[in-house]
């Protein structure tokens, strides 16, 4: 019989292929261009490049202000992301793989405003600027224009005219009363004008008319004569009588009535002016006095 194959124990391990020293080179280590490109021979083991030994530290007292020891080495450092030293002999060998693939990281810029919001802000700024310019132009024009004259009522039947305070307007007087013009603020004050009859005593005519209109318009629980005097209005002489009515209930407030009788002058007929305020108040009286003083 044949002899069994001869076995060796322990079995022999296959020879290992030596690593290329360039692949084991750390980042920043210089490339040995003179090394052969093929695998090294088994007789020549690979030599791993080592970092240069640091030089001996100098005397600490000899260091310049701001100088550190040991000196910093150029090259990429994981502790300083984004920083890299000068390129090595083979281009950007000193950069990490991510930097060689995607490029150096850029310094992040500040917060950016979205385009729509930027357009909206620009539009608002433009609108505000236009509004300011328009307001300035309008103000300048209004200041340059002359002040408008106050409105006046011309009563041709009575032959007079009188001004209207701000907020007053003309109305239509009932024909049965005999008044030919009427004006007021629409709330509390009313002024009526009509031609008067020829009389010999202006005071007597004013007293008679004040009593008549007081009974028709005031209906007060207590009516007092507050003023009775001779007046001159627009070059005419006449008489004025003022009544004040008070009420015992809690609804009606005090009322005011004034009658002015102006005598005939320069071919113009006598004039009767009646003013009523419900309720009575300082502002309403001031407006009525301004109307009566402006009768011409």
């Amino acid at each position: 019989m044949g002899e069994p194959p001869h076995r060796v124990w322990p079995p022999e391990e296959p020879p290992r292929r030596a690593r290329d020293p360039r692949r084991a080179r750390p980042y920043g280590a210089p490339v040995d261009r003179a090394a052969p490109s093929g695998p090294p021979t088994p007789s020549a083991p690979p030599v791993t490049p080592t970092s240069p030994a640091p030089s001996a530290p100098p005397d600490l007292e000899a260091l310049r202000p701001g100088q550190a020891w040991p000196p910093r080495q150029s090259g990429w450092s994981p502790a300083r992301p984004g920083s890299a030293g000068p390129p090595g002999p083979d281009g950007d060998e000193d950069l990490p793989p991510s930097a060689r693939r995607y490029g150096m990281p850029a310094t992040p810029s500040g917060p950016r405003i979205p385009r729509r919001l930027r357009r909206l802000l620009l539009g608002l700024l433009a609108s505000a600027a236009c509004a300011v310019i328009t307001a300035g132009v309008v103000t300048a024009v209004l200041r340059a224009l002359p002040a408008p004259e106050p409105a006046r009522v011309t009563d041709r039947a009575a032959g007079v005219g009188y001004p209207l305070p701000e907020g007053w307007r003309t109305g239509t007087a009932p024909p049965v009363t005999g008044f030919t013009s009427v004006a007021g603020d629409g709330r509390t004050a009313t002024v009526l004008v009509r031609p008067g009859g020829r009389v010999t005593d202006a005071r007597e005519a004013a007293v008679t008319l004040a009593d008549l209109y007081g009974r028709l318009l005031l209906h007060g629980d207590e009516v007092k004569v507050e003023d009775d005097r001779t007046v001159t209005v627009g070059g005419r002489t006449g008489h004025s009588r003022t009544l004040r009515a008070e009420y015992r209930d809690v609804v009606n407030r005090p009322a005011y009535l004034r009658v002015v009788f102006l005598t005939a002058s320069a071919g113009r007929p006598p004039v009767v002016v009646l003013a009523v305020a419900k309720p009575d108040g300082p502002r309403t009286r001031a407006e009525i006095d301004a109307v009566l003083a402006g009768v011409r």
Side-chain angles (χ1 to χ4, degrees):
M1 295 181 63
E3 194 177 307
H6 180 72
R7 296 182 179 179
V8 180
W9 187 263
E12 296 180 1
E13 295 182 359
R16 295 182 178 179
R17 186 174 61 177
R19 295 179 63 185
D20 190 348
R22 293 177 299 176
R23 297 187 177 180
R25 175 176 58 83
Y27 293 129
V31 180
D32 189 5
R33 298 296 183 179
S37 59
T41 59
S43 59
V47 179
T48 304
T50 60
S51 302
S55 58
D59 187 4
L60 297 179
E61 297 180 357
L63 293 176
R64 296 189 303 274
Q67 184 178 5
W69 183 264
R72 296 181 180 178
Q73 297 182 1
S74 62
W76 177 82
S77 173
R80 297 180 298 151
S83 62
D90 55 348
D92 52 1
E93 292 291 338
D94 291 342
L95 299 178
S98 59
R100 290 197 300 267
R101 181 176 180 87
Y102 301 106
M104 294 294 293
T107 303
S109 58
R112 299 185 60 186
I113 302 176
R115 182 175 300 178
R116 293 183 179 178
L117 181 58
R118 193 177 352 176
R119 292 179 179 176
L120 178 60
L121 293 177
L122 291 177
L124 292 177
L125 290 176
S127 301
C130 293
V132 171
I133 295 174
T134 303
V137 172
V138 171
T139 303
V141 171
L142 292 179
R143 289 180 178 178
L145 293 177
E149 296 182 359
R152 289 184 62 86
V153 175
T154 301
D155 191 335
R156 300 185 182 279
V160 295
Y162 49 92
L164 292 181
E166 183 178 359
W168 282 43
R169 59 183 182 273
T170 59
T172 303
V176 295
T177 60
F179 290 98
T180 54
S181 64
V182 59
D185 60 359
R187 299 183 305 274
T188 59
T190 304
V191 173
L192 302 97
V193 178
R194 70 173 178 85
R198 295 188 178 274
V199 295
T200 57
D201 190 348
R203 181 183 182 280
E204 182 181 357
V207 170
T208 302
L209 292 175
D211 293 341
L212 173 64
Y213 292 131
R215 291 193 302 269
L216 293 175
L217 301 176
L218 297 181
H219 304 286
D221 296 320
E222 183 178 359
V223 180
K224 296 181 179 180
V225 178
E226 194 174 71
D227 180 64
D228 188 87
R229 57 190 172 90
T230 302
V231 294
T232 301
V233 177
R236 295 186 181 188
T237 58
H239 198 85
S240 172
R241 187 176 179 87
T242 302
L243 304 179
R244 178 180 171 86
E246 295 182 355
Y247 306 89
R248 297 189 182 95
D249 56 65
V250 296
V251 178
N252 293 309
R253 298 171 59 186
Y256 163 85
L257 183 145
R258 182 179 179 184
V259 174
V260 177
F261 186 92
L262 299 178
T263 59
S265 174
R268 293 181 296 178
V271 177
V272 176
V273 181
L274 171 64
V276 181
K278 289 186 177 182
D280 186 15
R283 179 177 179 180
T284 306
R285 286 202 182 193
E287 294 177 346
I288 290 176
D289 292 342
V291 173
L292 296 180
V295 174
R296 298 290 185 272

